[in-house]
Amino acid sequence: GRAVPVFVLFFVGFVILRTLGDHYAGGWMPTWQATLALAQATSEWLLLIGMAAVGLGVTLLHLRESGWRLILLSLISALATGATTLGMVRLLT
């Protein structure tokens, strides 16, 4: 197998692209900002589609078979994520 998954290579590549773009945008800043806005919107839509795909593949039978511990862990994880997000929003606004 691969030592590094392909998505990690893409992630690092996009980090480098963003860093160089922010540094060298200069005279074409409006174009760069528009590109970032498009990338953000695309990212949000793809995340939404991916989450919907996962959700559509889960049935009540799957939940029942997974057991109460996994369901409780998932609920705690979702609540912690929500609380962290709300805390960061309050802190940064």
Side-chain angles (χ1 to χ4, degrees):
R2 271 184 184 246
V4 179
V6 174
F7 78 90
V8 172
L9 299 175
F10 276 100
F11 180 81
V12 170
F14 282 120
V15 167
I16 292 169
L17 177 66
R18 173 69 192 260
T19 302
L20 292 173
D22 285 348
H23 188 293
Y24 294 109
W28 47 280
M29 183 59 85
T31 303
W32 180 244
Q33 293 301 321
T35 302
L36 292 178
L38 177 62
Q40 179 68 33
T42 303
S43 172
E44 290 170 3
W45 273 102
L46 291 174
L47 179 60
L48 179 67
I49 291 167
M51 291 177 73
V54 169
L56 289 170
V58 176
T59 65
L60 291 176
L61 180 61
H62 288 126
L63 292 176
R64 197 172 85 195
E65 288 175 349
S66 66
W68 67 270
R69 289 182 183 175
L70 184 58
I71 293 171
L72 181 62
L73 180 62
S74 299
L75 179 62
I76 291 169
S77 176
L79 290 173
T81 301
T84 302
T85 302
L86 285 175
M88 293 301 291
V89 167
R90 289 193 181 269
L91 181 69
L92 298 174
T93 56

